[in-house]
């Protein structure tokens, strides 16, 4: 029956995808950018005086995206392209209304909204689904990222990806120029292709304008791959040749755990390892890693989680990023069968900071077999964790997707977590945990319809019922409104240990809609009213006797009113309510004594009214504030969170994140005043030398964390790090003692063959 429902859903989606709902799109001629081989040497100096640029096709007439999307750009942009045997070159001349160009800092991976910058998108496979983005600001700072999911939302851009390319910028009177040289070996494409798809978008901070080469309606994301031009090569692209990159590292560290009474002094460590990137073909890449070290990962921003369930944090480790959507794009955010942070990372339950598990090595093969088929294979071997009484595990993922119709695709995935010698450990560990799944992803040609239909099945040694996860989602997005319907079923037996499954044994139905208003005024750019309802029913197949046989478990309703002003200020008013039954004992403050909690089976009603205000982030000083008030487990809840930022252009910034929550539940519960304060200093001495210090004080954990990192990029994608970390006990009468401390020096070097 479940397979029948899924099949019918796919057939309905396919019919929608194949329909030409908006025939206007059929008559639009796709702009053509003709590219010729360069005729002389190009110097990346921000001066377009080479004969190649003087002879190249000029592409201009950008359209405004913000504050309105129906007029030409105030400051136009000219784009030029060329290439040689090893590199693709692109240049842009960006006009503006003056010379007060905004530059946040000299550090790589700048913020789009805080800089004068331009972004170039390349869909090298012409699949309307995945693309590369390369960006540069007015002072020549670089940024790159990977786009997945058709670029439908901002979360589809991953800027953690880092690779080798070069560029420079120069500012003039009323405009600035940038030049980029991107090695063909940095990107993946199909040998013999004669076209790429392309778009570009730009932030002109001093004119308060966002513009794009191909006009994009503002109800769509700027990176939406449905709106693209064609780059037409003068001859089919050849294989870039042998491409092997070796990325060795060496790390020296001294550490001490002051709370371990058996550790009398500082412990020293010297470690070496590395990665290799081997181009199997122009579109298929093999990544290898031996004794990997992930200490370059930034410290995660802590949050005060007042929900009953686990929250997820993004992956930032380079090894997992390229083609990451092929592995992690299955399912939905609240039921994902594969979550790469389950590999090689554990959480220190005391400080809630990441701690690294030893990984011996791993391999990953990913990329395109042809224009329609993409594959991915990942395997990693981790060491046993004797302090936690856990054996060694192998983590393996196989994934593939096949393009159907114009932008839709069908994907399959298989996940296996295999224990080795588990009988030698006393911990309760399954010998294996496996998941197999099928998913259809809809992207209609007219860009109005998107959706998903997926079925995942777990294979585990236990005898639990309903070892499956069924997810369906359908969205219709037009200029004035957006409609969405979601259904999610997660069985009690869907024990996906390599995934992110915060809750099981439920069915959830969620209608959602947005209504957009575009007032004809010079003050307000857009107003949006949103409503999202989520209704949960318990399937009753676990051992919990409180709710059985499809009983109601929870209802949530979120109402939101957002006003975006043309001067980049924003106001957001939201009201959230939830009605639910606790299925297990729970202390919502997480600070009470062991015998103070709400018992399983009790019913509760929570509500929260919040008003947020965000100032213009282009200014040297910007801020956001969000006061809130509501009811929480029969008591009162109020709080204030926000951020203060001061930028000293272009050398750095000082910011302060703060989150204060007051909980007064009454009865025997102690009042809770939860503080989470995080000052951060970013200083850029040059485009190659950066210093960042991040402090996080969390009074719920009685912990002060300090992370200070000096980074010297001495060569492209090659870095020397010095990292200092410290955790202090802030509990009363602790004398502010250090819990643990570390000083780490690390060098990584990118070698090309």
């Amino acid at each position: 029956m479940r397979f029948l429902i899924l099949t019918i859903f796919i057939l309905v989606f396919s019919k929608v995808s194949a329909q030409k709902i908006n025939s206007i799109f059929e008559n639009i001629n796709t702009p053509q950018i003709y590219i010729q081989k360069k005729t002389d040497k190009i110097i990346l100096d921000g001066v377009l005086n080479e004969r190649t640029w003087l002879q190249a096709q000029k592409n201009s007439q950008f359209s405004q995206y913000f504050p309105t999307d129906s007029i030409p750009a105030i400051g136009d942009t000219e784009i030029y392209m060329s290439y040689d045997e090893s590199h693709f070159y692109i240049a842009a001349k960006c006009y503006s209304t003056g010379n007060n160009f905004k530059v946040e800092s000299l550090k790589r991976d700048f913020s789009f909204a805080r800089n004068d910058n331009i972004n170039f998108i390349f869909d090298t496979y012409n699949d309307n689904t995945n693309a590369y983005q390369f960006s540069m600001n007015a002072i020549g700072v670089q940024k790159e990222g990977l786009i997945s999911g058709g670029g439908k939302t901002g979360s589809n851009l991953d800027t953690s990806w880092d690779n080798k390319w070069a560029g420079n910028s120069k500012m003039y009177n009323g405009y600035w120029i940038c030049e980029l040289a991107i090695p063909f070996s940095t990107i993946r494409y199909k040998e013999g292709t004669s076209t790429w798809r392309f778009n570009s978008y730009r932030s002109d901070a001093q004119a308060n304008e966002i513009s794009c080469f191909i006009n994009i309606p503002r109800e769509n994301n700027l990176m939406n791959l449905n709106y693209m031009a064609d780059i037409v090569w003068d001859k089919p692209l050849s294989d870039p040749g042998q491409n092997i990159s070796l990325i060795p590292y060496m790390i020296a560290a001294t550490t001490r755990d002051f709370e371990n009474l058996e550790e009398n002094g500082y412990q020293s460590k010297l470690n070496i390892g590395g990665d290799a990137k081997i181009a199997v073909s122009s579109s298929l890449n093999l990544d290898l890693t031996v004794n990997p070290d992930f200490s370059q990962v930034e410290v995660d921003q802590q949050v005060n989680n007042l929900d009953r369930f686990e929250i997820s944090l993004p992956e930032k480790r380079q090894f997992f990023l390229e083609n990451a959507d092929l592995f992690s794009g299955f399912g939905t955010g609240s039921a994902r069968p594969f979550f790469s942070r389950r590999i090689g990372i554990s959480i220190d339950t005391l400080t809630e900071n990441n701690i690294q598990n030893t990984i011996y090595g791993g391999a990953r093969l990913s990329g395109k077999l042809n224009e329609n088929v993409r594959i991915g294979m990942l395997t990693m071997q981790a060491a046993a964790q004797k302090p936690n009484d856990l054996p060694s595990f192998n983590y393996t993922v196989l994934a593939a997707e096949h393009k159907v119709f114009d932008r839709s695709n069908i994907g399959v995935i298989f996940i296996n977590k295999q224990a080795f010698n588990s009988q030698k450990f006393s911990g309760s560990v399954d010998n294996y945990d496996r998941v197999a799944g099928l998913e259809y992803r809809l992207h209609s040609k007219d860009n109005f319809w998107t959706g998903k239909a997926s079925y995942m099945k777990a294979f585990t040694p236990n005898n639990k019922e309903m070892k499956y996860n069924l997810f369906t989602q359908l969205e219709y997005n037009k200029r004035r409104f957006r409609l969405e319907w979601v259904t999610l079923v997660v069985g009690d037996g869907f024990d996906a240990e390599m995934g992110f499954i915060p809750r099981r044994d439920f069915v959830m139905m969620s209608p959602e809609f947005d209504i957009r208003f575009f007032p004809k005024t010079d003050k307000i750019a857009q107003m949006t009213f949103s409503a999202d309802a989520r209704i949960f029913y318990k399937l009753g197949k676990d051992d919990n006797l409180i709710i059985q046989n499809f009983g109601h478990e929870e209802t949530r309703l979120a109402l939101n009113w957002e006003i975006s002003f043309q001067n980049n200020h924003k106001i957001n008013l939201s009201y959230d309510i939830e009605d639910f039954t606790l299925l297990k004992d729970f202390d919502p403050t997480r600070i009470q004594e062991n015998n103070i909690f709400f018992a399983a089976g009790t019913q509760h009603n929570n509500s929260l009214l919040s008003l947020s205000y965000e100032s213009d982030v282009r200014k040297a000083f910007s801020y956001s504030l969000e006061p809130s008030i509501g009811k929480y487990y029969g008591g009162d809840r109020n709080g204030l969170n926000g951020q203060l930022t001061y930028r000293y252009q272009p050398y750095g910034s000082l910011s302060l994140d703060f989150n204060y929550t007051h909980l007064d539940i009454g009865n025997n519960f102690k009042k809770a005043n939860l503080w989470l304060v995080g000052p951060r200093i970013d200083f850029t001495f040059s485009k190659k030398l950066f210093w960042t210090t991040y402090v996080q004080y969390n009074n719920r954990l009685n912990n002060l964390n300090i992370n200070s990192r000096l980074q010297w990029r001495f060569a492209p994608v090659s870095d020397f790090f010095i990292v200092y970390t410290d955790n202090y006990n802030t509990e009363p009468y602790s004398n502010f003692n250090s819990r643990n401390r570390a000083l780490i020096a690390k060098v990584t070097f990118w070698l090309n063959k």
Side-chain angles (χ1 to χ4, degrees), residues 32-34 48 52-62 76-81 91 93 95 213:
Q32 308 285 305
I33 300 173
Y34 295 94
L48 303 183
T52 295
W53 296 134
L54 297 176
Q55 296 175 347
Q57 174 185 340
K58 181 177 75 172
N59 305 278
S60 58
Q61 297 182 342
F62 270 50
D76 199 9
T77 305
E78 300 171 359
I79 293 178
Y80 306 87
M81 298 183 188
K93 188 174 184 179
Y95 292 94
F213 179 53

Side-chain angles (χ1 to χ4, degrees), residues 369-509:
L369 291 182
N370 54 50
E371 289 188 358
N372 295 322
V373 179
R374 193 159 64 124
I375 64 168
M377 293 177 280
L378 167 68
T379 182
M380 302 200 79
Q381 186 67 43
Q385 303 175 51
K386 294 183 179 179
N388 296 326
D389 202 25
L390 293 174
S392 173
F393 286 100
N394 174 266
Y395 304 89
T396 298
V397 187
L398 306 176
E401 63 181 34
H402 190 288
K403 180 182 175 183
V404 294
F405 308 113
D406 184 68
R407 303 179 65 191
S408 303
N409 62 69
I410 296 176
V412 294
I413 190 169
F414 176 75
I415 305 165
N416 184 50
K417 179 182 178 183
Q418 189 76 45
F420 288 82
N421 299 319
S422 59
Q423 67 277 7
K424 296 182 179 179
F425 294 82
S426 60
S428 178
V429 176
D430 290 338
N431 288 328
Y432 64 88
D433 184 275
R434 296 166 187 153
V435 174
L438 171 68
E439 183 166 278
Y440 175 75
R441 302 154 188 162
L442 166 71
H443 290 271
S444 67
K445 189 171 184 177
D446 59 22
N447 206 44
F448 295 153
W449 293 92
T450 58
K452 267 189 179 187
S454 65
Y455 177 76
M456 305 289 160
K457 177 69 179 291
F459 301 90
T460 56
N462 61 55
N463 296 319
K464 290 184 178 181
E465 295 186 68
M466 303 182 69
K467 296 186 177 184
Y468 62 83
N469 164 21
L470 179 64
F471 172 67
T472 58
Q473 179 255 343
L474 184 61
E475 178 183 278
Y476 183 67
N477 186 30
K478 293 278 285 186
R479 173 73 169 179
R480 296 287 183 177
F481 65 90
R482 184 186 68 89
L483 303 174
E484 183 181 33
W485 177 268
V486 173
T487 302
L488 175 63
V489 180
V490 181
D492 179 54
F494 189 67
D495 188 13
E497 294 183 4
M498 287 178 63
F500 179 75
I501 315 293
R503 61 196 296 182
R504 292 182 291 176
D505 193 54
F506 72 91
V507 56
M508 184 270 290
M509 293 172 286

Side-chain angles (χ1 to χ4, degrees), residues 30-283:
T30 302
Q32 308 285 305
I33 300 173
Y34 295 94
I35 182 171
Q36 301 287 330
K37 194 172 184 179
K38 72 181 180 70
T39 55
D40 59 348
K41 183 179 180 181
I42 295 178
I43 300 174
L44 304 178
D45 56 1
V47 182
L48 303 183
N49 58 355
E50 289 87 355
R51 187 168 63 253
T52 295
W53 296 134
L54 297 176
Q55 296 175 347
Q57 174 185 340
K58 181 177 75 172
N59 305 278
S60 58
Q61 297 182 342
F62 270 50
S63 300
Q64 193 174 96
Y65 176 84
F66 178 88
T68 183
D69 57 2
S70 57
I71 63 173
I74 297 172
D76 199 9
T77 305
E78 300 171 359
I79 293 178
Y80 306 87
M81 298 183 188
S82 188
Y83 76 100
D84 59 20
E85 289 80 5
S86 58
H87 287 76
F88 170 68
Y89 299 92
I90 186 167
K93 188 174 184 179
C94 307
Y95 292 94
S96 190
T97 55
N99 301 320
N100 186 25
F101 299 109
K102 303 293 183 182
V103 177
E104 181 182 17
S105 74
L106 301 173
K107 191 174 182 180
R108 197 183 187 100
D109 293 343
F110 50 82
S111 164
F112 171 72
R114 289 184 167 95
N115 290 261
D116 276 283
N117 64 91
I118 189 167
N119 306 265
F120 307 104
I121 298 174
F122 304 99
D123 177 3
T124 59
Y125 292 118
N126 304 305
D127 63 4
N128 302 359
T129 305
N130 296 87
Y132 297 92
Q133 178 172 296
F134 295 89
S135 313
M136 185 162 284
N137 69 9
I139 208 169
V141 177
Q142 297 173 233
K143 176 182 177 181
E144 65 274 279
L146 299 173
I147 297 175
S148 61
K152 178 186 171 186
T153 67
S155 62
N156 291 138
L157 174 65
D158 189 349
T159 58
S160 298
W161 180 66
D162 202 3
N163 221 307
K164 206 170 190 178
W165 60 286
N168 207 347
S169 296
K170 186 175 181 179
M171 291 180 282
Y172 297 84
N173 184 21
Y175 65 93
W176 59 279
I177 291 175
C178 68
E179 294 179 282
L180 287 68
I182 304 169
F184 284 117
S185 58
T186 293
I187 52 184
R188 312 283 175 236
Y189 60 90
K190 188 64 178 176
E191 179 184 359
T193 188
S194 57
T195 61
W196 288 359
R197 301 177 73 248
F198 168 80
N199 200 6
S200 174
Y201 63 95
R202 177 185 160 204
S203 172
D204 185 347
Q206 61 180 326
N208 188 30
E209 177 180 71
I210 299 173
S211 59
C212 44
F213 179 53
I214 301 299
N215 180 257
I216 301 175
R218 206 161 74 230
E219 67 268 21
N220 294 285
N221 189 275
L222 268 170
M223 300 171 295
N224 194 304
L225 301 185
N226 203 56
Y227 303 91
M228 306 281 278
D230 283 339
I231 299 175
V232 181
W233 300 85
D234 59 350
K235 62 180 181 180
L237 289 174
S238 59
D239 191 316
Q242 187 181 35
N243 179 26
I244 300 176
S245 299
L246 302 177
I247 314 170
Y249 83 86
M250 182 173 66
I251 184 170
T254 177
T255 64
R256 183 172 181 182
D257 183 356
F258 291 94
E259 295 181 326
N260 184 355
L261 300 179
E262 298 179 358
E263 194 173 291
N264 297 322
Y266 285 89
Q267 309 295 310
S268 298
K269 180 180 73 170
L270 181 65
N271 205 6
I272 60 174
D275 299 340
K277 300 176 76 68
I278 303 170
V280 179
S281 69
S282 60
S283 58

Side-chain angles (χ1 to χ4, degrees), residues 229-395:
D230 283 339
I231 299 175
V232 181
W233 300 85
D234 59 350
K235 62 180 181 180
L237 289 174
S238 59
D239 191 316
Q242 187 181 35
N243 179 26
I244 300 176
S245 299
L246 302 177
I247 314 170
Y249 83 86
M250 182 173 66
I251 184 170
T254 177
T255 64
R256 183 172 181 182
D257 183 356
F258 291 94
E259 295 181 326
N260 184 355
L261 300 179
E262 298 179 358
E263 194 173 291
N264 297 322
Y266 285 89
Q267 309 295 310
S268 298
K269 180 180 73 170
L270 181 65
N271 205 6
I272 60 174
D275 299 340
K277 300 176 76 68
I278 303 170
V280 179
S281 69
S282 60
S283 58
L284 198 61
N285 195 71
L286 175 64
D287 291 275
L288 303 173
T289 185
V290 177
N291 193 26
D293 179 83
F294 297 129
S295 61
Q296 77 271 22
V297 177
E298 295 183 4
V299 174
D300 287 317
Q301 184 175 355
Q302 296 182 17
V303 295
N304 272 331
N305 180 18
L306 298 179
D307 200 4
R308 310 187 305 280
F309 305 101
E310 177 189 11
I311 60 174
S312 64
L313 295 170
E315 176 66 86
K316 297 181 180 181
R317 297 173 292 178
Q318 285 293 319
F319 182 81
F320 296 101
L321 295 181
E322 188 172 358
N323 288 312
D325 67 294
L326 182 58
F327 301 98
S328 60
F330 287 83
T332 181
S334 54
R336 202 168 293 285
F338 175 70
F339 183 44
S340 60
R341 285 178 66 104
R342 299 295 189 207
I343 302 175
I345 289 183
S346 295
I347 300 296
D348 185 329
T349 56
L350 186 62
T351 65
E352 292 190 357
N353 291 322
N354 287 334
I355 55 176
Q356 181 179 336
N357 296 338
T358 299
I359 297 178
Y360 295 133
R364 186 184 59 164
L365 178 70
S366 62
K368 285 271 193 175
L369 291 182
N370 54 50
E371 289 188 358
N372 295 322
V373 179
R374 193 159 64 124
I375 64 168
M377 293 177 280
L378 167 68
T379 182
M380 302 200 79
Q381 186 67 43
Q385 303 175 51
K386 294 183 179 179
N388 296 326
D389 202 25
L390 293 174
S392 173
F393 286 100
N394 174 266
Y395 304 89

